[in-house]
Amino acid sequence: MSNQLVIENVNKQFGAVQVVKHVNLSIPEGKLVCFLGPSGCGKTTLLRMIAGLETPTSGRLTMAGKDLTNVPACERDFGMVFQSLALFPHMSVAGNIAYPLRLRKVDKQSQAKRVDELLQLIQLPHMANRPVAQLSGGQRQRVAIARALASAPKLLLLDEPLSALDAKLREAMQVEIRLLQQRLGITTIMVTHDQREAMTMADVIVVMEQGWIAQIGSPLEVYRDPVNEFVADFIGLGNILPAVPNGDRRVRLAGGQQIDISGSRKISDGQEIRLLIRPEDVCLKISEAAGHKDLQSSIRNDNNNCVSGQVSFIRDVGSSLEATIDCSGFSLTVATSPREVPGLAIGSQVLATLPPHACKLIDASPGRLAA
């Protein structure tokens, strides 16, 4: 029988405040799923209900056909890594890893064998007897994961486990955890508010907004085809521009510019929409036309999806440039490189092309998956 976790119409209230609303979700077996959203969106509360640390106000959770809704956390056979890691500072590395096995009254020989296996797995076999207080942040993180894996759980739960690490170590640990999860094939759910972390690690991203699930999909699906303005804005950088439908495959921007789009999306009467284009999809070139009239002529000769503007800000990180372009009625963020646009500087007059295939129409209103 499949060990797939199924969440059915789960709600959670604290007093008069409903923090998780009508969540329906199936966690695919052997995959890493990220609950992603801003602080207060309900993602940690949902994880705690899965762990058994909170009880749903209504709805149920099942796994392998067994109702887990009211099963105590200690009987769920799940491993969990908390944001604080919650390691025992008075114990050695080996002692911390062995702790769940001691609680289950596993014999000492089996404990030692399992601890040795896990130390090899996390590449810390030489630190078995070292106090955890003497470990680096990344080493403590690995020990916390090994402890969660000690009893061979059916499900691994990670509650923002990397939030306390510095940026470079955090990125290294993202790769380490992902490789470890793939090697073990263990179903894993991770809570994060960091979209880059979710994009790096997840097979499936569950975007949450004010207690609701706004969208479920692969990282690429959520990034490239967000369902609404909230998801588009939360997942990566994006130019989200007010737009008015102007024909079947054309919209008008705030400055009156006409933009063609590929594909057809049905727009309801009175529906407020936005045009989304990612910064890396905007094609930029410095305009050789000095005068305003010449510039407009250059735009018409180039193509219909070209807008003019002036560079107001540049962030140069060496291998790439992020430029802000002030256009008539709106601003564009463009990701490019010094090689692609040599000589780009603040004050440059530029032409920005918005390829039709990269222009997406999205709903301006909040979205949620049907209960």
Side-chain angles (χ1 to χ4, degrees), residues 222-283:
V222 173
Y223 182 76
R224 283 293 171 193
D225 197 18
V227 295
N228 63 13
E229 185 175 358
F230 169 80
V231 177
D233 188 44
F234 197 80
I235 303 288
L237 289 174
N239 296 293
I240 302 172
L241 310 175
V244 177
N246 190 25
D248 186 28
R249 296 189 180 184
R250 177 172 286 191
V251 297
R252 186 175 69 254
L253 301 182
Q257 303 91 337
Q258 305 292 324
I259 300 296
D260 294 329
I261 58 172
S262 293
S264 56
R265 176 181 170 182
K266 190 174 181 181
I267 305 297
S268 304
D269 290 341
Q271 182 180 359
E272 191 178 357
I273 61 167
R274 300 284 186 263
L275 182 141
L276 167 69
I277 185 165
R278 296 295 184 183
E280 66 272 19
D281 292 327
V282 180
C283 302

Side-chain angles (χ1 to χ4, degrees), residues 299-348:
I299 292 172
R300 285 193 297 273
N301 292 335
D302 199 304
N303 63 54
N304 290 334
N305 275 37
C306 214
V307 298
S308 64
Q310 185 176 51
V311 178
S312 61
F313 177 77
I314 294 177
R315 184 167 68 172
D316 187 345
V317 294
S319 60
S320 63
L321 295 175
E322 185 181 298
T324 301
I325 314 299
D326 289 340
C327 304
S328 175
F330 60 92
S331 292
L332 277 177
T333 299
V334 180
T336 184
S337 71
R339 180 181 295 178
E340 291 174 22
V341 196
L344 189 69
I346 292 175
S348 295

Side-chain angles (χ1 to χ4, degrees), residues 64-283:
K66 180 182 177 182
D67 192 331
L68 297 179
T69 312
N70 295 300
V71 173
C74 60
E75 296 177 17
R76 293 198 180 193
D77 196 18
F78 296 167
M80 185 160 184
V81 178
F82 296 92
Q83 188 172 354
S84 63
L85 302 185
L87 295 172
F88 300 114
H90 62 286
M91 290 185 184
S92 66
V93 168
N96 269 275
I97 296 173
Y99 183 74
L101 301 174
R102 294 212 317 268
L103 288 181
R104 288 169 171 78
K105 297 184 170 29
V106 174
D107 66 83
K108 289 189 177 181
Q109 186 176 353
S110 298
Q111 283 184 40
K113 182 180 178 183
R114 181 62 174 159
V115 168
D116 184 59
E117 289 173 355
L118 289 166
L119 285 169
Q120 295 290 339
L121 185 68
I122 63 171
Q123 300 176 13
L124 294 176
H126 55 295
M127 294 189 176
N129 298 318
R130 184 171 295 188
V132 293
Q134 295 179 13
L135 302 183
S136 68
Q139 290 167 341
R140 284 197 295 270
Q141 179 65 58
R142 289 191 228 170
V143 173
I145 291 171
R147 186 180 65 182
L149 294 171
S151 58
K154 298 173 184 173
L155 191 65
L156 179 62
L157 307 174
L158 308 174
D159 185 11
E160 301 208 44
L162 307 179
S163 59
L165 303 181
D166 64 68
K168 188 172 182 179
L169 179 56
R170 182 175 184 144
E171 291 201 359
M173 286 303 301
Q174 288 169 4
V175 175
E176 277 198 38
I177 292 174
R178 178 57 168 153
L179 290 173
L180 182 62
Q181 183 272 331
Q182 289 178 325
R183 197 180 314 141
L184 296 174
I186 184 171
T187 307
T188 301
I189 303 174
M190 187 175 81
V191 162
T192 183
H193 62 269
D194 184 329
Q195 58 86 18
R196 182 183 176 93
E197 189 165 280
M199 294 284 291
T200 300
M201 299 178 68
D203 293 298
V204 178
I205 293 177
V206 178
V207 185
M208 296 190 67
E209 178 187 10
Q210 297 180 358
W212 301 92
I213 292 179
Q215 187 168 356
I216 301 170
S218 70
L220 190 59
E221 287 169 347
V222 173
Y223 182 76
R224 283 293 171 193
D225 197 18
V227 295
N228 63 13
E229 185 175 358
F230 169 80
V231 177
D233 188 44
F234 197 80
I235 303 288
L237 289 174
N239 296 293
I240 302 172
L241 310 175
V244 177
N246 190 25
D248 186 28
R249 296 189 180 184
R250 177 172 286 191
V251 297
R252 186 175 69 254
L253 301 182
Q257 303 91 337
Q258 305 292 324
I259 300 296
D260 294 329
I261 58 172
S262 293
S264 56
R265 176 181 170 182
K266 190 174 181 181
I267 305 297
S268 304
D269 290 341
Q271 182 180 359
E272 191 178 357
I273 61 167
R274 300 284 186 263
L275 182 141
L276 167 69
I277 185 165
R278 296 295 184 183
E280 66 272 19
D281 292 327
V282 180
C283 302

